[in-house]
Amino acid sequence: MSWAQSLTQCIQSGGMLASVEDVYESNFLIEHADLYASKTSGFWIGIYRNVNGQLLWQDNSALDFVNWAEGQPSGDELAFCVELSAATGYWSVLPCSSQKGFICKKPKNLFVATFHSFLFTFYLFSDVNKDKASGHLNMWILLTLVLIILLGVVFMIYFLFKIKTGSGTGREVRWSSRQLEYNCALTAGDIGSDATNNKEKNEHSIV
């Protein structure tokens, strides 16, 4: 997520993007962030650069403790937000639109990772992508099943139509056959009747 999206998520969960007040909190976060080094490059924390170029915590308090990576904070004019590296724990200034995990901090009243009177919750950006990918996969599976069902219904209707049409054709053929036999019988009867009449005429002529 972007820094702004991460901040919104933390506020909605009743906290804020993590602040680091001393070396002990820093070591605690480094220890836990390292567990996710294979899944994300880093986590947003609650430092941002204001319009005057001053780096402050989310609550606008000054940075009494810092753990910058070498060459940081950079002078990049587009970099206004701060990432904690998952691999090293050092901080770097990045563009706020970069997609990262994030760490929320709130007063301790739940579980998860805790330190002193605060709890820290780590969120992986990769988890968000995974959920989206899973949702897309489920959607495609559902669409495939619907398509298969529709095709099955179409084929069923087609075969029923063919069976009905075939049955009707069979009846027409049988009716035509019987009609032909009847016509042949009538023709044969007429021929026989004509032959008898001719024979009688001949007999009368002879007499």
Side-chain angles (χ1 to χ4, degrees), residues 158-205:
Y158 173 76
F159 283 119
L160 288 174
F161 176 76
K162 290 292 289 183
I163 291 171
K164 183 177 180 180
T165 303
S167 176
T169 303
R171 287 195 298 270
E172 291 174 359
V173 170
R174 288 193 296 273
W175 184 85
S176 298
S177 178
R178 288 196 297 269
Q179 187 69 24
L180 180 61
E181 291 175 356
Y182 177 73
N183 290 337
C184 289
L186 288 178
T187 302
D190 291 341
I191 293 173
S193 178
D194 291 341
T196 301
N197 291 334
N198 289 335
K199 183 177 180 182
E200 289 177 353
K201 288 179 180 180
N202 292 334
E203 288 176 351
H204 286 299
S205 297

Side-chain angles (χ1 to χ4, degrees), residues 12-200:
Q12 288 177 349
S13 68
M16 57 185 178
L17 281 173
S19 61
V20 186
E21 298 178 2
D22 52 44
V23 68
Y24 301 106
E25 278 193 352
S26 178
N27 289 339
F28 177 81
L29 293 179
I30 291 170
E31 178 183 346
H32 286 81
D34 184 62
L35 300 175
Y36 305 102
S38 63
K39 297 182 179 180
T40 185
S41 61
F43 298 89
W44 290 125
I45 58 176
I47 302 175
Y48 75 101
R49 180 178 293 176
N50 64 17
V51 293
N52 298 320
Q54 185 180 8
L55 288 163
L56 300 169
W57 287 112
Q58 178 187 334
D59 60 2
N60 293 323
S61 60
L63 276 65
D64 295 326
F65 171 84
V66 294
N67 190 30
W68 295 113
E70 185 177 354
Q72 293 290 336
S74 70
D76 187 349
E77 295 181 356
L78 298 177
F80 284 88
C81 300
V82 175
E83 167 207 46
L84 182 148
S85 169
T88 66
Y90 290 120
W91 306 351
S92 300
V93 181
L94 297 175
C96 298
S97 60
S98 301
Q99 301 297 303
K100 300 290 179 181
F102 57 98
I103 305 172
C104 293
K105 180 180 182 180
K106 49 186 152 181
K108 183 170 65 177
N109 55 5
L110 296 172
F111 316 103
V112 199
T114 63
F115 185 81
H116 294 330
S117 59
F118 294 98
L119 74 84
F120 294 86
T121 307
F122 291 74
Y123 294 87
L124 293 174
F125 175 68
S126 57
D127 290 343
V128 177
N129 285 338
K130 183 178 180 181
D131 291 341
K132 289 182 178 179
S134 178
H136 291 159
L137 178 61
N138 291 336
M139 181 184 69
W140 281 113
I141 291 174
L142 179 61
L143 289 176
T144 302
L145 289 175
V146 170
L147 181 60
I148 291 173
I149 292 172
L150 288 176
L151 287 175
V153 171
V154 170
F155 278 116
M156 183 181 297
I157 293 173
Y158 173 76
F159 283 119
L160 288 174
F161 176 76
K162 290 292 289 183
I163 291 171
K164 183 177 180 180
T165 303
S167 176
T169 303
R171 287 195 298 270
E172 291 174 359
V173 170
R174 288 193 296 273
W175 184 85
S176 298
S177 178
R178 288 196 297 269
Q179 187 69 24
L180 180 61
E181 291 175 356
Y182 177 73
N183 290 337
C184 289
L186 288 178
T187 302
D190 291 341
I191 293 173
S193 178
D194 291 341
T196 301
N197 291 334
N198 289 335
K199 183 177 180 182
E200 289 177 353

